[in-house]
Amino acid sequence: MRVLVIGSGGREHAICWKLMQDDPELELFCAPGNGGIGEIATLVPIPVTETQQLLSFALEHKIDMTIVGPELPLSLGIVDMFQDAGLPIFGPTRLAAEIETSKAFAKDFMVRHGIPTADYQVFSDAAAALEFVEASPIPIVVKADGLAAGKGVIVCHNRRQAEDAVKASFSIDTKVVIEEFLVGEELSLMAFIDGKTVVPMPAAKDHKRVYDNDKGPNTGGMGAYAPIPHMGEEVVQEALDTILVPAANALAAEGRSFTGVLYAGLMLTDNGLKVIEFNARFGDPEVQVVLPLLDSGLLAIITACVEQRLAAYAGIKWDQSSAVVVVLSSRGYPGKYQTGKLISGVVKASRSSEVRVFHAGTAYHGGRLITAGGRVLAVVGLGPDLKQAQMCAYRAVSEISFENMHFRRDIAAKALAKTVPNHISD
Ligand code: AMP
Ligand code: GLY
């Protein structure tokens, strides 16, 4: 089998690692990949936006399955192009991916189909949006409609901030969504979908802010864990019944049948689960804690999705242990940061069978591993429970160093503080 993975972050390294773990004989290509991915796959120097070149490469190299990591090529219709050329590809079509790529579409879609989400209005005129903000309760959330690489959402705690957010959003987009601020606990729930059948993965928790105690600006994600011990089966079932299954059915009914991974960013409120956002792909870093818990072959599941036979595919099993990932970033990220710093300790940190080190922004330069991005490495620790997974991750983190390395020291800490130790209930 020849498989092509598209993307270059920790998400794509986790996907490539799992594929090679399942089948070391696989011929694996990754475009464009990174330093760590290059250790297990052949790197193809084509950017993710060059969809025509990616298609030519896949045709020429007789690729049996292509797996799309990030949202950008989905928004450019890469799945439609491969399908038109008769090539198997895992991911939603351009129209189905609008559930992520247009917030206005996603919100209107949810309301049309009774899927619970924050109350909202869509504006295409700044003056009307400003008037609305004046009359709305605070806090309020302002979102640019389209893809904005994590910079499109502003939670506003006073009216002045809300006005500035409206102006800033209209400077990058023609449509702006203004919505109610939801109070509760966030979770990420991803599911495999073959157009019809929905199979959930374990719920995961992202840590989006750059500093401990959820301080500082939003990032692509500074850490995550899965499963969430204080959110049991009933939360996943509620999400399936009220959100994921209705969304898959409604997308199919609207002629936007969804194949791939649907990611629901959810808030568990006093009035039940509500959708914060949908993504049309694996979440990053969530996928880095979910795939190490997958006891079944990833390519077999992906193939069952693409061939629309997920209902008959009974082979999806999850390990009962826990996983914690800690992201090591370049100081300054998500703002300006330096690259080209020498990284040491990765081999030593990876020695334990309970540790995986996924690369996000790395490169090899003259045989030496150097930093090449904001998020540099992601260190995953596994354990029989969340506490041991967390200890394992941080032990491995302590082996790694590079100049200006930054990481959060409180990944999974809130969940562990919630857990009542056994001796108290004895
Ligand atoms: P997003 O880019 O949509 O994932 O949003 C970034 C973060 O903003 C989310 O993870 C939430 O913490 C927060 N957020 C977005 N929308 C809302 C909302 N309606 N209420 C409260 N927080 C929100
Ligand atoms: N971790 C959030 C995302 O992948 O969008």
Side-chain angles (χ1 to χ4, degrees):
M1 279 288 273
R2 294 177 153 219
V3 174
L4 169 64
V5 173
I6 295 175
S8 63
R11 167 181 41 218
E12 289 74 24
H13 194 185
I15 294 169
C16 288
W17 164 81
K18 176 66 178 148
L19 293 170
M20 292 310 285
Q21 186 85 0
D22 294 340
D23 178 8
E25 303 293 305
L26 201 68
E27 276 189 76
L28 186 61
F29 300 86
C30 185
N34 62 36
I37 297 174
E39 294 168 9
I40 54 173
T42 304
L43 298 186
V44 181
I46 305 176
V48 301
T49 45
E50 296 302 323
T51 49
Q52 192 59 52
Q53 283 184 46
L54 290 165
L55 176 61
S56 303
F57 175 87
L59 285 168
E60 197 178 313
H61 291 80
K62 301 194 168 46
I63 297 294
D64 298 297
M65 180 63 73
T66 298
I67 302 170
V68 188
E71 60 278 17
L72 203 52
L74 296 173
S75 74
L76 298 173
I78 191 166
V79 170
D80 311 63
M81 289 168 65
F82 274 59
Q83 284 176 349
D84 288 348
L87 284 185
I89 182 163
F90 180 68
T93 58
R94 189 180 61 76
L95 276 183
E98 276 192 9
I99 194 122
E100 168 168 8
T101 60
S102 167
K103 291 193 166 70
F105 167 75
K107 296 294 289 190
D108 292 347
F109 170 84
M110 286 187 262
V111 167
R112 273 202 297 285
H113 299 285
I115 296 170
T117 188
D119 286 341
Y120 73 102
Q121 286 213 27
V122 181
F123 294 91
S124 43
D125 172 58
L130 287 167
E131 215 170 282
F132 179 78
V133 157
E134 281 308 314
S136 301
I138 296 290
I140 197 160
V141 184
V142 178
K143 303 185 172 185
D145 177 56
L147 293 178
K151 298 194 181 82
V153 175
I154 307 170
V155 178
C156 308
H157 295 278
N158 59 55
R159 233 168 275 283
R160 176 73 203 277
Q161 201 186 0
E163 287 165 19
D164 290 346
V166 166
K167 288 176 196 156
S169 300
F170 272 109
S171 72
I172 58 170
D173 215 315
T174 54
K175 266 195 251 173
V176 170
V177 175
I178 301 182
E179 69 176 33
E180 166 203 12
F181 178 75
L182 296 173
V183 178
E185 190 179 345
E186 281 187 65
L187 66 145
S188 308
L189 188 66
M190 300 184 279
F192 293 106
I193 302 186
D194 69 349
K196 205 161 145 206
T197 301
V198 178
V199 178
M201 301 178 213
K205 174 80 129 197
D206 192 4
H207 295 60
K208 287 205 165 102
R209 304 295 197 95
V210 72
Y211 302 124
D212 286 5
N213 293 317
D214 298 322
K215 298 274 178 355
N218 260 329
T219 68
M222 294 300 294
Y225 63 84
I228 305 178
H230 52 283
M231 290 192 190
E233 269 306 302
E234 64 294 346
V235 177
V236 174
Q237 196 58 50
E238 182 185 332
L240 273 178
D241 294 345
T242 65
I243 292 159
L244 288 167
V245 171
N249 289 339
L251 282 166
E254 290 195 1
R256 296 169 184 261
S257 177
F258 190 103
T259 296
V261 171
L262 184 60
Y263 164 128
L266 302 172
M267 188 76 88
L268 183 53
T269 72
D270 288 344
N271 299 319
L273 289 170
K274 294 196 178 184
V275 176
I276 297 174
E277 60 163 352
F278 279 118
N279 291 325
R281 46 160 178 91
F282 283 115
D284 192 9
E286 289 93 329
V287 72
Q288 304 183 47
V289 283
V290 165
L291 287 185
L293 302 179
L294 177 58
D295 255 352
S296 317
L298 178 62
L299 189 55
I301 300 171
I302 282 175
T303 307
C305 285
V306 172
E307 294 175 357
Q308 297 186 309
R309 50 178 178 76
L310 196 55
Y313 184 80
I316 306 186
K317 296 201 178 57
W318 299 98
D319 190 293
Q320 292 311 304
S321 50
S322 293
V324 170
V325 61
V326 179
V327 171
L328 310 183
S329 64
S330 306
R331 194 172 299 284
Y333 168 81
K336 277 199 188 130
Y337 54 81
Q338 296 178 342
T339 56
K341 307 293 180 193
L342 197 62
I343 304 171
S344 65
V346 172
V347 172
K348 192 164 173 221
S350 317
R351 248 180 234 152
S352 158
S353 61
E354 308 297 291
V355 173
R356 322 260 172 273
V357 179
F358 295 128
H359 294 224
T362 69
Y364 276 101
H365 189 73
R368 308 175 96 185
L369 190 65
I370 58 167
T371 67
R375 288 191 291 179
V376 176
L377 295 166
V379 181
V380 181
L382 298 170
D385 58 30
L386 191 61
K387 179 75 208 159
Q388 293 186 63
Q390 186 204 41
M391 278 165 47
C392 178
Y394 278 108
R395 206 180 306 124
V397 165
S398 70
E399 308 277 9
I400 299 175
S401 64
F402 55 85
E403 198 184 320
N404 294 335
M405 180 170 111
H406 165 74
F407 62 92
R408 275 181 64 161
R409 290 165 199 275
D410 66 343
I411 305 301
K414 270 194 198 150
L416 289 167
K418 270 188 215 282
T419 322
V420 182
N422 286 338
H423 65 268
I424 292 183
S425 53
D426 276 347

